[in-house]
Amino acid sequence: MTMTTLDGVDVVVHDAAAAQPAAARASRDERARWLRAVADGLDAARDELVAVAMRETHLPQPRLEGEVARTTGQLRLFADVILEGSFLEAIIDHADPTAAPPRPDLRRWLVPVGTVAVYAASNFPFAFSVAGGDTASALAAGCSVVVKAHPGHEVTSRRTAEVVSGALRAASAPDGVFGLVEGFDAGVALVEHPAVDAGAFTGSLRGGRALADRAAARPRPIPFYGELGSLNPVVVTHAADARRGSELAAGFAGSFTLGVGQFCTKPGIVFVPTGSRLAEALPDAVGREAMPMLTEGIASGYTAGTARLGAVEGVSALVEPAGPGGPGVFRVSAEGFVASHEVLTEEVFGPATLLVTYDDERALHVALAVLPGSLTATIHSEDDDDRGALVGVLSAKAGRVLFSGWPTGVAVTWSQHHGGPWPATNTQHTSVGATAVRRFLRPLAYQDAPPDVLPAELRDDSTVPRRVDGVLVPGR
Amino acid sequence: MTMTTLDGVDVVVHDAAAAQPAAARASRDERARWLRAVADGLDAARDELVAVAMRETHLPQPRLEGEVARTTGQLRLFADVILEGSFLEAIIDHADPTAAPPRPDLRRWLVPVGTVAVYAASNFPFAFSVAGGDTASALAAGCSVVVKAHPGHEVTSRRTAEVVSGALRAASAPDGVFGLVEGFDAGVALVEHPAVDAGAFTGSLRGGRALADRAAARPRPIPFYGELGSLNPVVVTHAADARRGSELAAGFAGSFTLGVGQFCTKPGIVFVPTGSRLAEALPDAVGREAMPMLTEGIASGYTAGTARLGAVEGVSALVEPAGPGGPGVFRVSAEGFVASHEVLTEEVFGPATLLVTYDDERALHVALAVLPGSLTATIHSEDDDDRGALVGVLSAKAGRVLFSGWPTGVAVTWSQHHGGPWPATNTQHTSVGATAVRRFLRPLAYQDAPPDVLPAELRDDSTVPRRVDGVLVPGR
């Protein structure tokens, strides 16, 4: 494995920090052009990148081709987002000399935070990696980016970085605005580097927490956006199970084994009525084949995690994993779950899931109360179910609440929220969708500024969506 | 001094946490009514509250009366903000079955984070205290609030809390949605309490950092919004000094001694040309009288701070403080400032300021480069000055950049930003103005939700400002 030396990290960070003011000064048109150039470059290199990634991650070709499309789609969405301009949150309040006290002319917008360290994830070698959503949203914001590559796909990372750098150069982006470092020590040095202004991470709770703690303990603390771990609870009501239990079993089996269960939105815990049709149908719906996992570390972690689950008192295996990467289905009563919830709510990364069987609403709610925060929570119910209390509890536990679907598959849209109460994420922001750009911006207000000093977006002839003297004005 | 016992803190926090779901469920109309009821209650109790606060803080009656008006104005602004509805950031994306992959119906808005701990400031016994901006914005968001009173004005705090509680009760807000605790240990217990979901603090760098560190080190870290310390640099160009140096001296003297210099936006460092008219005129413009400070601790801190400044090599006193609370003006060359910048950039809370004299632009920029982040930065220039570089540097160092004014006086408006790079604040949010409410909200998305489950603001007949399928729609 290649490691960037600490001197090497220093050079990359200083180049990025030196490039950042120029990136910030660039117009939104220019930055949109950079993002689209990167997207075009990745599309052009798709076949080569996918071939490398297949060797490194054992993920199948269609999945990886789809992921490149998702990645370039993200870059183009952020280009649209910055051209549209609402993300600047522009607010103009004209002076009011008659107010008590008199009010000055005050104009606020958002400006880039500076240089961002992006920690790539193992499980999305494109969409949450070198040119993934964090990189795209930080560049869109006008930040410079230093990516810490994931060791699970280092050649893919390096080759992607070459494509990104080449495209940015060809599009006349400032030299050094994007860089790559490799190795564990480089990752630690990055979050502690005085010239780094924010961090973004997708990965394990342990790794993310360690980096977040370092970010908070710096002489100058910096924001650190971690997407850390998620159980993604699913609740199936008596009525839904009675009417479509076996259909749900098929959908569920597809969701928790998708991508060998290596998704942050994998449904890891499912609350079903005792004696459910779903549980009865599930073993037949789940394949038995062990599938290759992303890395050896992840495979051995999966083996250890499923062994840990299976060893808990009251837990039985409905489907015993046939080795690392083999689907595993475990079952426990709601009472048994509550008794051992500290162990049973630790995420097992991979195609394992836990059925929690409940007799009645009361037992269900007692069990839901001990759940930690998640990215998603899913409800399978019927229209005549009284689901108010369920929606209330799960809304408090998750960032996205789904109805009659499965949480894998995260649409990249204006409205998406990929985040949730601890430990799903450690901040009130999303890492997927248009609003992810907010993480890398800070407000700046100008008071009584001469018009020549103001950015075009804050002048009286601004064309971006803005609030003027309290009233929303759509963009031109 | 009264101290809340740890058991007492536990009771108050549990009451607040128990009340929070009802606060979150309350309509925006209801919450706006609560805020206005609190404002009305404070207005009615103004004379009594001001009399108590005069005794405790030594601040003059007109200032305190103005501050009560500011406080009730803030509460009413947040009522307007939540009724207007943009703060919900509502986004509706309808399903698109033709997209690849097909897109679900996805609707996002912001929901309250939970129970908020508010740490009151010493220097604004009303506007940044028990019923101040943090409390108002958290209640507006639908959070419950536990205030840690400042010991500098404990009777004022207790009496204000009674008015707030009484008004909330009369307006049918949930019991326990607002509470007060007192004492250092109670403040520490609060930020570490498992049922507290966020913190907001205005005060010293040391105190705020200690609490922020505890918030980050919890088993479940929580967001902690600290407004911690600020030098508020001012730059006077050669041209501005030549044309209006003595006029600037008068304005500057008024600003840094206002409220006995006990403002977070006090101009603590001013860059002036060597041999400036401003420096020449300043001693005559500054009063000599020592004024009573907020607390004995602040007064002794001021004495120590001015002694520390005066002892630095190359620093001379233009105006020597006549005891605690006496204005102090110090002077150092730009070169001397750079050499001792670690000591000279420590905030001295009170009516002290430092003139840094520069010969040319180069010396000025070398000196500006070592400045830490501030809430504000101010430029006094003439229209024919080439101020692009100056604006660039100061925009990177501050959250509000002012032209031809003074930073004391913080308008409470939609566009205000009261925050800035570390150590001014530790997050990318404001504690003053309409957008302060964002600190206490988190996104929540609903996927394919039946309309009866959705809040009115996210249904197709929503009346709040929102984005629908990518297009901004103004509120009804």
Side-chain angles (χ1 to χ4, degrees), chain B residues 229-455:
Chain B
S230 185
L231 287 176
N232 306 300
V234 176
V235 176
V236 179
T237 66
H238 277 94
D241 182 71
R243 285 188 216 169
R244 44 197 175 96
S246 34
E247 182 193 324
L248 289 173
F252 173 45
S255 182
F256 88 85
T257 62
L258 192 70
V260 201
Q262 300 165 125
F263 285 134
C264 38
T265 53
K266 177 203 73 176
I269 190 162
V270 180
F271 297 85
V272 292
T274 305
S276 67
R277 294 186 179 202
L278 187 151
E280 199 184 314
L282 193 61
D284 284 345
V286 174
R288 291 296 187 283
E289 204 185 337
M291 298 162 282
M293 301 190 78
L294 290 162
T295 68
E296 281 181 30
I298 287 172
S300 63
Y302 180 70
T303 302
T306 48
R308 195 182 65 226
L309 271 187
V312 172
E313 199 185 322
V315 172
S316 59
L318 269 186
V319 175
E320 190 81 58
V329 179
F330 298 86
R331 180 162 64 178
V332 68
S333 69
E335 294 70 26
F337 171 70
V338 172
S340 302
H341 72 270
E342 291 192 9
V343 186
L344 295 176
T345 55
E346 262 184 62
E347 183 183 2
V348 178
F349 194 69
T353 197
L354 178 67
L355 301 185
V356 179
T357 60
Y358 66 89
D359 289 339
D360 53 26
E361 293 253 320
R362 207 191 140 275
L364 172 62
H365 279 275
V366 170
L368 294 178
V370 302
L371 282 180
S374 277
L375 293 166
T376 72
T378 301
I379 299 175
H380 286 284
S381 60
E382 297 292 318
D383 282 346
D384 46 2
D385 273 320
D386 180 9
R387 53 198 161 193
L390 205 51
V391 173
V393 170
L394 293 178
S395 296
K397 299 276 187 184
R400 177 164 56 112
V401 179
L402 296 85
F403 295 81
S404 306
W406 299 99
T408 41
V410 182
V412 182
T413 58
W414 286 90
S415 55
Q416 186 56 273
H417 181 57
H418 191 66
W422 177 267
T425 48
N426 65 335
T427 72
Q428 297 135 282
H429 290 279
T430 183
S431 59
V432 177
T435 55
V437 72
R438 180 65 178 84
R439 297 174 295 168
F440 306 119
L441 296 160
R442 68 175 175 94
L444 177 63
Y446 300 87
Q447 182 170 322
D448 293 330
D452 65 286
V453 161
L454 288 171

Side-chain angles (χ1 to χ4, degrees), chain A residues 84 86 93 103 113 209 216 218-219 225 395 398-401 403 413 415 428 439 441-442 445 447 467, chain B residues 84 86 93 103 108 113 209 216 218-219 225 395 398-401 403 413 415 428 439 441-442 445 447 467:
Chain A
E84 195 264 351
S86 293
D93 286 325
R103 273 210 303 268
V113 289
R209 174 80 200 233
R218 292 165 46 119
Y225 303 97
S395 297
R400 178 164 57 110
V401 179
F403 295 81
T413 58
S415 54
Q428 296 135 282
R439 296 175 296 168
L441 296 160
R442 68 174 175 95
Q447 182 170 323
R467 181 177 300 275
Chain B
E84 196 265 353
S86 292
D93 287 325
R103 273 211 301 270
R108 167 204 189 261
V113 291
R209 175 79 199 233
R218 290 164 49 117
Y225 303 97
S395 296
R400 177 164 56 112
V401 179
F403 295 81
T413 58
S415 55
Q428 297 135 282
R439 297 174 295 168
L441 296 160
R442 68 175 175 94
Q447 182 170 322
R467 182 177 299 277

